[in-house]
Amino acid sequence: MNDTLRILAVSAAWRVVCLALLFVSAQLQQPFDTSGDIVQHTLAGNGNSAAWAPWASPFVRWDTVYFVAAAAHGYTHEQMLAFQPGIVGMIRLAGYLHPGSGWNPTVAVLVATALANLAAWLGPFLLFYLVRIWSGNDRVAFRAALLSVLAPASTTALSAPTPEPFYSLFCLLGYLALHSSPATRFRWKRPTAALCFAAATAFRANGLLLAGYLAWHAAWESKPASLTQFLLRLYGRMLDYVQVELSRHGVHHICP
C-alpha cells in the first residue's frame, strides 16, 4: 500500500472513531445550553420528529446550534453576524435534499455532517501533496499528513457541521493551485487559488488574510531575483535606521 492509500485509510478510520465518540457522548451527556436537544425546541414542524434525537442531535453542539438556527430562521440576532454565510447556506440547502416538501432540519444536519466528514477525510491527503511539493521529502510529507489526522479538534469541530473542515479544504486546494509542481504548466494558478480562497472566506472571516498569498505569488513567486533584491534593500534600510538612531542617541547623551 502506497503512502496516499495509507493516509486515506487512516483518515477514514479516524473519521469513524470520531463519529462513534460523538454518538456515545451524546448518550452519556446531559443536555446543555448549546446542545441539539435544546435547539430542537426552536425548530417548528420536522424539528420535533423522532429522527432528530438519535441521528441529528449528536452533531448539533456548540456553534452548530447557531448555524442550524440561522439556517432555519435567518440571522435573527446580532451575535449571529459573527458567523460567515457559507456553513449556514450549506445547511439551508441540505435541508431540501429529501423527497418530501419543505426544509427538514434532520436531513440538513445529516447531509452537512456527511460533507464535513468528507472534507475532513480529504484534508490530510491534500496536505501530503502540499508538503511534498514544498519540502521535496516524502517521509516528512507522510508524517505531517498523519499528524494532521489526529488534530485536537478532529472529534468535534471536524466531525460536525462547522466551518473548519470546509475552510481547511479550500485553503489546501488554493495552496496546491499556487504551488503546484514546477513541471506542471498551469496558467490559471492565481485565479483558481483566488476562487478557493474566496470559498474559504465564505466559511471563516480570517480567510481574508489569504489574499496575502496571492500578493506574494504575483510579486515574487516567478521572480526570485526580485525578492532577493527587495530583501537586500530592506536589510540596508534597517541598517541605516539603526545607524541613525544610534547617532541620535549618542548626540543626545554626549551633547545635551
Side-chain angles (χ1 to χ4, degrees):
M1 182 182 294
N2 59 34
D3 289 344
T4 300
L5 293 179
R6 288 177 183 173
I7 292 169
L8 290 174
V10 171
S11 184
W14 186 242
R15 291 291 93 224
V16 173
V17 171
C18 291
L19 292 174
L21 289 175
L22 277 179
F23 271 108
V24 172
S25 64
Q27 301 302 320
L28 299 178
Q29 282 182 328
Q30 294 293 326
F32 50 96
D33 56 350
T34 53
S35 65
D37 294 330
I38 301 300
V39 74
Q40 177 184 6
H41 300 294
T42 69
L43 302 173
N46 290 325
N48 297 320
S49 67
W52 174 269
W55 297 109
S57 183
F59 305 109
V60 181
R61 53 188 59 227
W62 304 116
D63 286 346
T64 307
V65 169
Y66 299 104
F67 304 148
V68 174
H73 308 296
Y75 286 78
T76 55
H77 300 287
E78 183 179 355
Q79 63 266 28
M80 289 183 174
L81 296 177
F83 304 120
Q84 293 293 91
I87 187 65
V88 175
M90 175 179 292
I91 295 174
R92 181 67 182 178
L93 292 175
Y96 291 104
L97 300 178
H98 64 96
S101 60
W103 186 75
N104 189 308
T106 302
V107 173
V109 171
L110 292 178
V111 172
T113 298
L115 293 175
N117 280 273
L118 177 62
W121 172 61
L122 291 174
F125 167 76
L126 297 176
L127 182 64
F128 169 75
Y129 280 99
L130 184 63
V131 175
R132 189 167 70 172
I133 291 173
W134 282 349
S135 67
N137 190 318
D138 286 356
R139 178 174 293 183
V140 171
F142 181 71
R143 290 178 178 176
L146 288 184
L147 288 174
S148 71
V149 171
L150 303 176
S154 58
T155 308
T156 53
L158 300 183
S159 302
T162 63
E164 281 73 17
F166 303 104
Y167 177 80
S168 299
L169 176 68
F170 287 116
C171 282
L172 290 170
L173 289 174
Y175 297 149
L176 282 171
L178 281 181
H179 303 286
S180 56
S181 174
T184 304
R185 293 186 176 274
F186 183 37
R187 295 183 177 181
W188 300 96
K189 285 185 177 183
R190 284 193 288 274
T192 302
L195 289 175
C196 292
F197 292 160
T201 306
F203 287 92
R204 288 187 62 90
N206 55 339
L208 291 171
L209 300 176
L210 296 171
Y213 288 97
L214 296 173
W216 176 272
H217 189 274
W220 293 301
E221 180 69 14
S222 59
K223 302 175 182 178
S226 299
L227 175 59
T228 303
Q229 294 173 4
F230 170 78
L231 293 176
L232 289 175
R233 287 197 299 268
L234 179 62
Y235 180 68
R237 293 291 179 86
M238 291 175 62
L239 290 180
D240 291 341
Y241 176 79
V242 171
Q243 184 177 3
V244 170
E245 288 299 314
L246 288 176
S247 300
R248 290 177 56 187
H249 181 76
V251 170
H252 177 74
H253 285 80
I254 296 174
C255 305

